[in-house]
Amino acid sequence: MSNTDKLYERRKKSVPNALGIFNPSSIQSAKGAIIIDADGRELIDFAGGIGVNNAGHGVPEIIDAIKSQADKFIHASFNVSVYEQYLDLSEKLCELLPHGDSTKAMLTLSGAESVENAIKIARAVTGKSGIICFNGSFHGRTMMAMTLTSNVKYKEGAGPYAPEVYRLEFPYYGPKEKKQFPTEQEFADFHIDKLNKFFSSYVSATQTAAIIMELVQGEGGFTVASKPYVAKLREICTENNIFLIFDEVQSGFGRTGQWAAFHNYGVTPDLSTWAKSMGGGMPMGAVIGKQEIMDAIKPGLIGGTYAGGPLGCVASLASINYMQKNNINAAGDKVGKVVREKFNQLKALYPNNISDVRGLGAMLAIEFINPETKAADGDTTKAIVNKCLEKGLIVITSGTYGNCIRILSPLFIEDEVLQKGLTILEETIKEIL
């Protein structure tokens, strides 16, 4: 029995089975885009800790920042004793990700916690209760975040869910939609019309506090929101005092070739939620918003014992500075172009098995279907994940039916490592298909 197998045997004895296994690999050390597993094997990491390691594993600046801070103090709670590490990070976030003329940020521990706080802020400040989200969305596993999340596998049996949450069809202008709508503007107009009718049939605009959206859906299969739709959505939200919230937990920090996915749209949200690669590997998240909104929150409504802990703050700031110094956005754009070219080649080879290549920047996925029934083919993607691991590559799936292979590799990945990983993926797909 391998050391990895031994770890999974131990896992069965002490960890609930419900805690999912996205890839049956192990890790004992890592550097850059390479993981060394419990058996000493080198594995190319195309999962990035589910989008956490945009900067890569083992960045010396991040490690040194954590070590240095640990020598000073590990915890105090920002609500009890103010410290500069929290302020340094907040100021950096407001500088990189401005929300209008003036911006403020609060720190959290995770994406789900960020989402919970953003919804709480929207309801408290607007005085309204309705929240609109989208099919295919994933916003986390806590109560409100779970309610907003679309896929029932993440919440089945855990209800009753939070009230006053309503769901729209996600406006992805994909292959099927292009057959029905000759132009993206026509597609966007159709879905905006559906939104306006939604206000008459499900929840009124006067009772809607916020609309929350992932511009690129993470667990939903990397579907990308229509740009003309998002532009019009911004107008509608402004006209009706509805806060527009962008969930950037997986799409932020260079993943789409920009600091924020919304920078690709020319649209500024009222509030946005962050985590994953923001922390450089440490648990760290944020809600960023327009100053007039953030200052309208009543004291005591937001906060947390561990929120904005000093170790996470210094790791996050070191990670952001490292990404900025080495131009993470250019790296994301470069990786995205290479991966998209490979995916398009595979789609051309297997047009009956691969239905779509989609995403933004380096946040890309390839979708598999059964060539006869045209139904989602999760069995094929599962086989690809397992076979790739045998060959030394870690990949994970996404999509409501688990029929997409997504790429979340570190963005500062060496060209030869990226090409080797893509070659393994290509060979595996050819073998499986």
Side-chain angles (χ1 to χ4, degrees), residues 99 118 121-122 243-246 269-273 287-289 293-294:
H99 287 44
I121 292 166
F243 288 173
L244 181 59
I245 305 173
F246 289 150
D270 298 294
L271 298 166
S272 59
T273 60
V287 179
I288 304 175
I293 294 172
M294 302 299 273

Side-chain angles (χ1 to χ4, degrees), residues 52 99 124-125 133 184 246 258 260 279 287 363 369 397 414 425-428:
V52 168
H99 287 44
V125 176
C133 56
E184 188 171 0
F246 289 150
Q258 299 286 346
V287 179
M363 193 173 177
I369 57 171
T397 64
E414 295 90 343
L425 181 59
E426 179 182 25
E427 291 173 350
T428 301

Side-chain angles (χ1 to χ4, degrees), residues 31 56 87 106 172 180 283 325 357:
K31 186 72 174 178
L87 301 177
M106 66 164 289
Y172 171 55
Q180 184 179 356
K325 179 180 71 174
V357 171

Side-chain angles (χ1 to χ4, degrees), residues 140-431:
R141 298 175 186 269
T142 50
M143 182 53 69
M144 174 53 73
M146 176 182 68
T147 303
L148 296 169
T149 290
S150 176
N151 196 330
V152 297
K153 74 180 180 183
Y154 294 115
K155 58 186 184 180
E156 186 175 7
Y161 309 118
E164 292 291 317
V165 172
Y166 306 87
R167 197 173 303 280
L168 281 170
E169 183 181 349
F170 187 77
Y172 171 55
Y173 189 53
K176 294 179 182 177
E177 292 75 17
K178 288 174 182 176
K179 293 178 182 178
Q180 184 179 356
F181 299 96
T183 69
E184 188 171 0
Q185 187 61 58
E186 290 177 86
F187 168 81
D189 291 343
F190 172 79
H191 280 274
I192 289 295
D193 183 59
K194 287 182 71 172
L195 172 60
N196 288 323
K197 291 176 179 176
F198 197 85
F199 285 141
S200 299
S201 303
Y202 294 92
V203 59
S204 71
T206 59
Q207 288 298 307
T208 301
I211 298 177
I212 184 168
M213 141 181 278
E214 300 163 276
L215 292 170
V216 186
Q217 293 190 322
E219 297 300 317
F222 286 19
T223 51
V224 182
S226 162
K227 288 187 178 182
Y229 176 91
V230 172
K232 186 63 179 177
L233 182 64
R234 172 70 277 179
E235 293 178 17
I236 290 171
C237 286
T238 301
E239 291 166 2
N240 292 281
N241 187 34
I242 298 170
F243 288 173
L244 181 59
I245 305 173
F246 289 150
D247 183 335
E248 295 270 7
V249 169
Q250 193 167 148
S251 57
F253 297 97
R255 179 55 59 182
T256 68
Q258 299 286 346
W259 287 110
F262 70 75
H263 288 157
N264 294 283
Y265 284 75
V267 170
T268 302
D270 298 294
L271 298 166
S272 59
T273 60
W274 306 83
K276 290 193 182 288
S277 278
M278 172 186 156
M282 293 290 287
M284 178 59 64
V287 179
I288 304 175
K290 295 179 178 178
Q291 180 179 343
E292 61 268 26
I293 294 172
M294 302 299 273
D295 282 345
I297 310 165
K298 293 180 181 179
L301 188 69
I302 58 175
T305 302
Y306 292 100
L311 293 180
C313 285
V314 297
S316 181
L317 186 62
S319 180
I320 292 170
N321 286 337
Y322 176 80
M323 289 190 278
Q324 193 170 26
K325 179 180 71 174
N326 293 284
N327 200 343
I328 191 77
N329 295 328
D333 184 63
K334 178 182 177 182
V335 170
K337 287 177 179 175
V338 173
V339 174
R340 186 179 287 275
E341 181 181 4
K342 179 60 68 178
F343 279 4
N344 283 334
Q345 290 171 359
L346 288 166
K347 186 176 184 298
L349 280 174
Y350 300 102
N352 296 321
N353 300 84
I354 297 173
S355 58
D356 199 10
V357 171
R358 57 177 178 255
L360 188 62
M363 193 173 177
L364 290 165
I366 187 168
E367 182 180 49
F368 293 84
I369 57 171
N370 185 296
E372 296 178 0
T373 65
K374 304 303 179 185
D377 190 357
D379 290 338
T380 287
T381 53
K382 185 177 180 180
I384 290 169
V385 167
N386 292 331
K387 180 62 73 173
C388 279
L389 182 58
E390 291 178 15
K391 294 172 176 284
L393 174 68
I394 296 176
V395 291
I396 54 175
T397 64
S398 67
T400 301
Y401 307 102
N403 65 314
C404 301
I405 295 290
R406 56 175 155 171
I407 303 297
L408 287 169
S409 69
L411 299 178
F412 296 131
I413 184 173
E414 295 90 343
D415 293 343
E416 60 272 21
V417 176
L418 178 61
Q419 290 294 344
K420 183 178 179 181
L422 289 173
T423 298
I424 292 172
L425 181 59
E426 179 182 25
E427 291 173 350
T428 301
I429 289 172
K430 287 179 178 180
E431 286 180 28

